[in-house]
Amino acid sequence: MGKVTGFLEYQRLQEAAEAPEQRVKHWKEFVLHLNTEQAKQQGARCMDCGIPFCTNGCPVNNIIPDWNDLVYRQNWKQALAVLHSTNNFPEFTGRICPAPCEAACTLNINSDAVGIKSIEHAIIDHGWEHGWVVPASPKAKTGKKVAVVGSGPAGLACAQQLARAGHDVTVFEKSDRIGGLLRYGIPDFKLEKWQIDRRMAQMEQEGVVFRPSTFVGRPEDAKALGISATVKTPQELQAEFDAIVVSGGAETPRDLPVPGRELQGVHFAMDFLRQQNKVVAGDKLKDQIMATGKHVIVIGGGDTGSDCVGTSNRHGAASVTQFEVMPQPPVSENKELTWPYWPLKLRTSSSHEEGVDRDWAVSTKAFKGKNGKVTSLVACRVEWVRGDNGQMKMVEVEGSEFELPADLVLFAMGFVSPVQQVLEAFGVERDARGNARANTDDYRTNVDKVFAAGDMRRGQSLVVWAIREGRQCAASVDTFLMGATELPR
């Protein structure tokens, strides 16, 4: 905890951010971490609640009260050590995690939760600024070799943990740069990519080898997926490595097969976001999808949709509209019913603040076009009613059909599964949703010495869940290789 009476004395403080009209002119991060005095005051708000529900609400089980107290006492180096003991990459989660820990904060029952995420952000940035984040090389090498397929947060966390246990770890990534959806998917204005590069440098000093532009699977699958990269087959990896971890993302987007789907200007969100990441990185693209001067409609109300809104505004879109098929959630949750769980309530992101027309309970029926290009979207209002089987179903509201101009339509309706060809090539069994079948006790698949973690195992999820799975999987791999492990789960 922090100060005994701190939660009574101090109000929650939001991190400072650049004004919307200024930040839409560039692609850099615009949120500033708390200064030392501000962080001390926010740490003081951590109350003596007895049972820290925040720790359980956090997927990596961050020891939040401890580092809150350490920040309050200005022991920043020890706070960093405590933070790193459960989280390999707090500079990622301190920027892009939705903070389920704050929903579980005891103070959140009848007041504003402790600003846990902002304190985490301050701790890790303070650590980097003072040179305290250094490689943690293993005491001895084991001689065991591990391949990690996929370089998102699950793969990176798993690789770092295994390297620190003394194993020789190689990370394979089909894209030209390491980072998975951290690199290509999350906009630079939320997470600048030098943050990834800095961690990569640390991991390389710890012994991790990175192999970008390498697709693991069958050559015919790489061709069918349009992937231009070196191909390594599962058989080659199984012959060369003592253990393999498949930790790719849930990259198969949900489609919307309605009339007009084939028109130019109708795209998956990730195609749009990935291209912008590459342009910011300095790549020259021939046919970049641009929102400049266009009427943009984003279908899907989640984080990916929000990222499309922010990117479209930075392109200079004529208008941006975002649809969600579900009803508008309440502005505030009923905390007596939802605490300490993650509540359903209206959430307004920084991208929404920059300008967007949001609408709920809307279903898209068709796209219209001219000369092969989309020009408008036909939609209708829907309501959700309980059917005879007790399940909720969507029903069109009679007479509610409407049409909006649309020059660019982006599908941000979530992801249904990982790339199936990779799992098929390994012969890994899948569950009903197309994810690798493996439990959280040992993360082992049905294939000998092949493990699965992250979105490839659990399906579309958060960065913080990916880090948790990568860490836990690393402990299981270490046990498999050595008979026991000292790695934390």
Side-chain angles (χ1 to χ4, degrees):
M1 60 168 290
K3 187 178 182 181
V4 175
T5 57
F7 70 98
L8 297 171
E9 298 176 32
Y10 306 120
Q11 299 298 311
R12 178 184 169 105
L13 177 67
Q14 294 296 118
E15 293 173 301
E18 191 176 1
E21 58 270 19
Q22 295 301 319
R23 67 193 190 220
V24 295
K25 299 176 182 178
H26 62 77
W27 297 94
K28 294 188 178 297
E29 293 178 20
F30 52 82
V31 177
L32 302 177
H33 66 72
L34 303 176
N35 62 37
T36 54
E37 191 58 37
Q38 290 171 332
K40 175 182 178 179
Q41 189 179 96
Q42 293 305 295
R45 297 186 70 240
C46 188
M47 60 194 298
D48 187 9
C49 58
I51 298 175
F53 286 89
C54 58
T55 296
N56 191 56
C58 172
V60 293
N61 303 124
N62 277 332
I63 312 169
I64 294 163
D66 288 32
W67 41 258
N68 281 343
D69 182 68
L70 288 164
V71 168
Y72 168 61
R73 301 180 189 284
Q74 297 291 280
N75 190 342
W76 287 88
K77 195 170 186 179
Q78 185 60 30
L80 179 67
V82 174
L83 177 56
H84 266 146
S85 71
T86 55
N87 186 351
N88 295 68
F89 313 121
E91 64 269 37
F92 303 159
T93 52
R95 285 167 166 79
I96 60 177
C97 184
C101 54
E102 293 187 11
C105 174
T106 303
L107 189 55
N108 189 45
I109 296 174
N110 62 352
S111 184
D112 291 329
V114 174
I116 299 167
K117 180 179 174 181
S118 65
I119 299 172
E120 176 183 25
H121 184 188
I123 293 171
I124 184 59
D125 282 12
H126 201 76
W128 282 111
E129 289 163 6
H130 286 77
W132 297 335
V133 184
V134 295
S137 301
K139 297 177 182 177
K141 301 291 284 186
T142 65
K144 302 290 186 180
K145 299 173 66 178
V146 182
V148 176
V149 181
S151 69
L156 292 178
C158 186
Q160 186 168 59
Q161 293 295 97
L162 288 169
R164 290 174 173 179
H167 305 304
D168 294 322
V169 183
T170 303
V171 177
F172 295 93
E173 168 58 53
K174 68 179 184 300
S175 297
D176 60 341
R177 295 180 178 93
I178 296 297
L181 291 180
L182 292 170
R183 176 77 66 177
Y184 293 133
I186 296 173
D188 292 71
F189 58 80
K190 289 174 64 176
L191 178 69
E192 291 184 46
K193 307 315 172 188
W194 58 265
Q195 303 275 0
I196 305 170
D197 298 335
R198 185 168 58 179
R199 275 294 176 183
M200 283 177 59
Q202 180 202 33
M203 293 174 66
E204 286 175 328
Q205 292 181 65
E206 293 172 347
V208 177
V209 176
F210 293 105
R211 291 285 181 265
S213 299
T214 305
F215 174 75
V216 175
R218 297 170 295 211
E220 58 269 28
D221 291 334
K223 185 176 181 180
L225 292 167
I227 297 172
S228 178
T230 301
V231 176
K232 292 279 286 187
T233 67
Q235 293 73 27
E236 289 176 308
L237 261 59
Q238 287 166 324
E240 184 178 349
F241 294 92
D242 299 296
I244 301 167
V245 178
V246 288
S247 57
E251 297 181 70
T252 306
R254 182 172 284 106
D255 206 345
L256 186 60
V258 297
R261 170 65 181 89
E262 75 287 350
L263 291 168
Q264 294 180 38
V266 181
H267 301 277
F268 288 118
M270 276 302 156
D271 294 336
F272 177 63
L273 297 173
R274 176 186 172 90
Q275 286 187 357
Q276 186 57 50
N277 288 138
K278 293 181 76 69
V279 168
V280 173
D283 293 355
K284 304 295 184 183
L285 302 184
K286 292 175 68 175
D287 300 307
Q288 184 186 358
I289 303 167
M290 294 294 294
T292 310
K294 296 179 179 178
H295 296 291
V296 180
I297 297 182
V298 179
I299 302 176
D303 290 340
T304 303
S306 170
D307 293 343
C308 289
V309 170
T311 301
S312 296
N313 279 323
R314 282 162 177 75
H315 279 184
S319 68
V320 184
T321 303
Q322 185 176 21
F323 289 156
E324 168 58 56
V325 74
M326 299 302 292
Q328 181 174 344
V331 174
S332 299
E333 74 274 32
N334 185 335
K335 292 183 179 180
E336 291 183 352
L337 291 177
T338 60
W339 182 89
Y341 301 108
W342 183 250
L344 175 66
K345 67 176 182 179
L346 182 64
R347 301 178 189 277
T348 299
S349 72
S350 59
S351 291
H352 293 143
E353 294 172 352
E354 293 162 3
V356 62
D357 181 14
R358 304 168 74 185
D359 207 348
W360 289 265
V362 173
S363 178
T364 301
K365 299 181 70 173
F367 304 110
K368 293 182 179 180
K370 186 176 182 180
N371 298 324
K373 296 182 179 181
V374 66
T375 57
S376 65
L377 176 149
V378 180
C380 66
R381 303 287 173 185
V382 298
E383 57 184 6
W384 291 84
V385 299
R386 196 171 299 280
D388 296 336
N389 61 358
Q391 301 295 316
M392 298 300 290
K393 64 177 182 179
M394 185 177 69
V395 178
E396 180 177 345
V397 176
E398 187 176 352
S400 66
E401 185 175 298
F402 63 96
E403 187 172 341
L404 287 178
D407 308 305
L408 176 62
V409 179
L410 301 169
F411 291 171
M413 301 171 290
F415 304 87
V416 297
S417 70
V419 177
Q420 296 299 291
Q421 290 90 332
V422 174
L423 297 177
E424 290 170 0
F426 275 100
V428 170
E429 289 182 358
R430 288 158 286 169
D431 62 21
R433 297 185 300 156
N435 302 320
R437 189 185 298 279
N439 61 44
T440 55
D441 293 328
D442 58 18
Y443 289 86
R444 296 185 67 171
T445 70
N446 62 299
V447 181
D448 184 41
K449 70 181 185 182
V450 176
F451 298 73
D455 288 6
M456 190 160 268
R457 190 204 69 82
R458 68 177 285 116
Q460 173 189 326
S461 193
L462 303 174
V463 167
V464 68
W465 272 107
I467 294 172
R468 172 196 173 107
E469 294 227 344
R471 288 172 62 88
Q472 292 192 342
C473 183
S476 296
V477 172
D478 192 35
T479 300
F480 168 75
L481 294 174
M482 307 303 293
T485 185
E486 295 182 356
L487 291 175
R489 278 180 57 84

Coordinates of all heavy atoms in Angstrom, one line a residue, residues 311-339:
T311 N -6.2 6.5 -37.2 CA -5.4 6.5 -38.4 C -6.1 7.3 -39.5 O -5.4 8.1 -40.2 CB -5.1 5.1 -38.9 OG1 -4.4 4.4 -37.8 CG2 -4.2 5.1 -40.1
S312 N -7.4 7.1 -39.6 CA -8.1 7.9 -40.7 C -8.1 9.4 -40.4 O -8.0 10.2 -41.4 CB -9.6 7.4 -40.7 OG -9.7 6.0 -41.1
N313 N -8.2 9.8 -39.2 CA -8.2 11.2 -38.9 C -6.8 11.8 -39.2 O -6.7 12.9 -39.6 CB -8.5 11.4 -37.4 CG -10.0 11.4 -37.1 OD1 -10.8 11.9 -37.9 ND2 -10.4 10.8 -36.0
R314 N -5.7 11.0 -39.0 CA -4.4 11.5 -39.3 C -4.2 11.5 -40.8 O -3.4 12.3 -41.3 CB -3.4 10.6 -38.6 CG -3.2 10.9 -37.1 CD -2.5 9.8 -36.3 NE -2.3 10.3 -34.9 CZ -3.3 10.3 -34.0 NH1 -4.6 9.9 -34.4 NH2 -3.1 10.7 -32.8
H315 N -4.9 10.7 -41.5 CA -4.8 10.8 -43.0 C -5.5 12.0 -43.5 O -5.3 12.5 -44.7 CB -5.5 9.6 -43.6 CG -4.6 8.4 -43.6 ND1 -4.9 7.2 -44.2 CD2 -3.3 8.2 -43.1 CE1 -4.0 6.3 -44.1 NE2 -3.0 6.9 -43.4
G316 N -6.5 12.6 -42.7 CA -7.3 13.7 -43.2 C -8.6 13.3 -43.9 O -8.9 13.8 -44.9
A317 N -9.3 12.3 -43.3 CA -10.5 11.9 -43.8 C -11.6 13.0 -43.8 O -11.6 13.8 -42.9 CB -11.0 10.7 -43.0
A318 N -12.5 12.9 -44.8 CA -13.6 13.9 -44.8 C -14.6 13.7 -43.7 O -15.1 14.6 -43.1 CB -14.3 13.8 -46.2
S319 N -14.8 12.4 -43.4 CA -15.6 12.1 -42.2 C -15.3 10.7 -41.8 O -14.8 9.9 -42.6 CB -17.1 12.1 -42.6 OG -17.5 11.1 -43.5
V320 N -15.5 10.4 -40.5 CA -15.3 9.0 -40.0 C -16.5 8.6 -39.2 O -16.9 9.3 -38.3 CB -14.0 9.0 -39.1 CG1 -13.7 7.5 -38.7 CG2 -12.8 9.5 -39.8
T321 N -17.0 7.4 -39.5 CA -18.2 6.9 -38.8 C -17.8 5.5 -38.4 O -17.2 4.7 -39.1 CB -19.4 6.8 -39.8 OG1 -19.7 8.1 -40.3 CG2 -20.6 6.3 -39.0
Q322 N -18.3 5.1 -37.2 CA -18.0 3.8 -36.6 C -19.2 3.1 -36.2 O -20.0 3.7 -35.4 CB -17.0 3.9 -35.4 CG -16.5 2.6 -34.9 CD -15.5 2.7 -33.8 OE1 -15.4 3.7 -33.1 NE2 -14.8 1.6 -33.5
F323 N -19.5 1.9 -36.7 CA -20.7 1.2 -36.4 C -20.3 0.0 -35.4 O -19.3 -0.6 -35.5 CB -21.3 0.5 -37.6 CG -21.9 1.5 -38.6 CD1 -22.1 1.2 -39.9 CD2 -22.4 2.7 -38.1 CE1 -22.7 2.1 -40.8 CE2 -23.1 3.6 -39.0 CZ -23.2 3.3 -40.3
E324 N -21.3 -0.3 -34.6 CA -21.2 -1.5 -33.7 C -22.5 -2.2 -33.8 O -23.6 -1.5 -33.6 CB -20.8 -1.1 -32.3 CG -21.0 -2.2 -31.2 CD -20.2 -3.4 -31.5 OE1 -18.9 -3.3 -31.7 OE2 -20.8 -4.5 -31.6
V325 N -22.5 -3.5 -33.9 CA -23.8 -4.2 -34.1 C -24.5 -4.4 -32.7 O -25.7 -4.6 -32.7 CB -23.6 -5.6 -34.8 CG1 -22.9 -6.6 -33.8 CG2 -24.9 -6.1 -35.3
M326 N -23.8 -4.3 -31.7 CA -24.4 -4.5 -30.3 C -25.0 -3.2 -29.9 O -24.6 -2.1 -30.3 CB -23.3 -5.0 -29.3 CG -22.7 -6.3 -29.7 SD -23.9 -7.7 -29.8 CE -24.5 -7.8 -28.1
P327 N -25.9 -3.2 -28.9 CA -26.5 -2.0 -28.4 C -25.5 -1.1 -27.7 O -24.5 -1.6 -27.2 CB -27.6 -2.5 -27.4 CG -27.8 -3.9 -27.7 CD -26.5 -4.4 -28.3
Q328 N -25.8 0.2 -27.6 CA -24.9 1.0 -26.8 C -24.8 0.7 -25.4 O -25.9 0.5 -24.7 CB -25.3 2.5 -27.0 CG -24.4 3.5 -26.3 CD -24.8 4.9 -26.5 OE1 -25.5 5.2 -27.5 NE2 -24.2 5.8 -25.7
P329 N -23.7 0.4 -24.8 CA -23.6 0.1 -23.4 C -23.8 1.3 -22.5 O -23.8 2.4 -22.9 CB -22.1 -0.4 -23.3 CG -21.4 0.3 -24.3 CD -22.3 0.5 -25.5
P330 N -24.1 1.0 -21.2 CA -24.3 2.1 -20.3 C -23.1 3.0 -20.1 O -22.0 2.5 -20.2 CB -24.7 1.4 -19.0 CG -24.1 0.1 -19.1 CD -24.2 -0.3 -20.5
V331 N -23.3 4.2 -19.8 CA -22.2 5.1 -19.5 C -21.4 4.7 -18.3 O -20.1 4.7 -18.3 CB -22.7 6.6 -19.3 CG1 -21.5 7.5 -19.0 CG2 -23.3 7.1 -20.6
S332 N -22.0 4.2 -17.3 CA -21.4 3.7 -16.1 C -21.9 2.4 -15.7 O -23.1 2.1 -15.9 CB -21.6 4.7 -14.9 OG -21.1 6.0 -15.2
E333 N -21.1 1.5 -15.2 CA -21.5 0.2 -14.8 C -22.1 0.2 -13.4 O -22.0 1.2 -12.7 CB -20.3 -0.8 -14.8 CG -19.3 -0.6 -13.6 CD -18.2 0.4 -13.9 OE1 -18.5 1.4 -14.6 OE2 -17.1 0.3 -13.4
N334 N -22.9 -0.8 -13.1 CA -23.4 -1.0 -11.8 C -22.3 -1.8 -11.0 O -22.2 -3.0 -11.1 CB -24.7 -1.9 -11.8 CG -25.3 -2.0 -10.5 OD1 -24.7 -1.9 -9.4 ND2 -26.6 -2.2 -10.4
K335 N -21.5 -1.1 -10.2 CA -20.3 -1.7 -9.6 C -20.7 -2.7 -8.6 O -20.0 -3.7 -8.3 CB -19.5 -0.6 -8.9 CG -18.8 0.4 -10.0 CD -17.9 1.4 -9.3 CE -17.3 2.3 -10.3 NZ -16.4 3.3 -9.8
E336 N -21.9 -2.6 -8.0 CA -22.3 -3.6 -7.0 C -22.5 -5.0 -7.7 O -22.4 -6.0 -7.0 CB -23.6 -3.2 -6.3 CG -23.4 -2.0 -5.4 CD -24.7 -1.6 -4.7 OE1 -25.8 -2.2 -5.0 OE2 -24.6 -0.7 -3.8
L337 N -22.8 -5.0 -9.0 CA -23.0 -6.2 -9.7 C -21.7 -6.7 -10.4 O -21.6 -7.9 -10.6 CB -24.1 -6.0 -10.8 CG -25.6 -5.8 -10.3 CD1 -26.5 -5.6 -11.4 CD2 -26.0 -7.1 -9.5
T338 N -20.9 -5.8 -10.9 CA -19.8 -6.1 -11.7 C -18.4 -6.2 -11.0 O -17.6 -7.1 -11.4 CB -19.6 -5.1 -12.9 OG1 -19.4 -3.8 -12.3 CG2 -20.9 -5.1 -13.7
W339 N -18.2 -5.4 -10.0 CA -16.9 -5.4 -9.4 C -16.6 -6.8 -8.7 O -17.5 -7.4 -8.1 CB -16.8 -4.3 -8.3 CG -15.5 -4.3 -7.6 CD1 -14.4 -3.5 -8.0 CD2 -15.0 -5.0 -6.5 NE1 -13.3 -3.7 -7.2 CE2 -13.7 -4.6 -6.2 CE3 -15.6 -5.9 -5.6 CZ2 -12.9 -5.2 -5.2 CZ3 -14.9 -6.5 -4.6 CH2 -13.5 -6.1 -4.4

